Amino acid sequence: MATEPNGHELTRWKIHGERLVDDTRRLRLSIASVELPDGVTFEQYVLRIPKAAMMAVLDDQDRVLMMWRHRFIIDRWVWELPGGYADPNEDPAKTAAREVEEETGWRPLDVEPLGSLQPMVGSADAENLLYVARGAEYVGEPEDINEAERVAWIELDSIRDRIAKGEIVGAASQVALLHVLAFHR
């Protein structure tokens, strides 16, 4: 059993097995048999999703590049940062930059990591790797016409209000944007 530096024993949930429900290119769904430290047992659905990489692209006018798109699962129009699934053999920063260019027509410059998050840590392994770019060059119309209804530079000063109004609901977009507002202005 693991212990803290002060000697306190850490409790850990025990996994007695997982049975596969579905396994596709973008999702692995299983049911885990779990035992809590107090002996209670239960079954839990577990989602394993490939890593995704997203990028907040900032310009010199205190704006961020975003996409207005319809998300059919929640049936809402929302603003999101560009990004996508990380290819297994590609540096995630390059994935994020490639996705920005394909989805928006802008090539990001001066890319640096912001961090990562797990948006549904209680039931999914779906790591989102976040990046920020300072500047971008326009290279033409977006290659992927299915990604966004509109691409726009959004004032950073409007981000908190857009989140409050429910216009920005994605966890990775919110975390990256709030990080930018707190530390990168």
Side-chain angles (χ1 to χ4, degrees), residues 113-147:
L114 278 181
S116 70
L117 73 130
Q118 288 278 359
M120 298 172 48
V121 72
S123 59
D125 179 2
E127 186 176 18
N128 285 233
L129 302 159
L130 306 176
Y131 297 88
V132 63
R134 298 196 185 283
E137 63 180 334
Y138 184 70
V139 295
E141 289 297 310
E143 291 177 26
D144 192 341
I145 63 168
N146 298 309
E147 289 294 334

Side-chain angles (χ1 to χ4, degrees), residues 22-136:
D22 196 10
D23 192 4
T24 68
R25 183 170 74 97
R26 296 286 186 223
L27 166 79
R28 179 180 170 92
L29 175 64
S30 62
I31 299 174
S33 176
V34 181
E35 181 181 343
L36 299 177
D38 67 2
V40 172
T41 60
F42 65 94
E43 290 189 329
Q44 168 78 35
Y45 280 100
V46 177
L47 300 168
R48 298 190 192 284
I49 300 169
K51 290 179 184 180
M54 301 182 83
M55 188 174 293
V57 180
L58 308 176
D59 71 5
D60 59 2
Q61 297 173 46
D62 221 21
R63 301 179 303 178
V64 63
L65 185 63
M66 298 194 75
M67 304 181 317
W68 180 247
R69 64 182 308 177
H70 182 257
R71 284 298 188 178
F72 78 93
I73 294 171
I74 59 173
D75 193 22
R76 288 179 56 189
W77 286 91
V78 295
W79 286 105
E80 291 184 355
L81 296 175
Y85 291 114
D87 292 337
N89 298 320
E90 185 177 37
D91 172 9
K94 289 184 180 174
T95 298
R98 178 179 45 76
E99 291 287 338
V100 169
E101 189 169 332
E102 289 173 4
E103 295 175 354
T104 70
W106 289 85
R107 181 174 295 142
L109 307 171
D110 300 321
V111 175
E112 63 184 78
L114 278 181
S116 70
L117 73 130
Q118 288 278 359
M120 298 172 48
V121 72
S123 59
D125 179 2
E127 186 176 18
N128 285 233
L129 302 159
L130 306 176
Y131 297 88
V132 63
R134 298 196 185 283

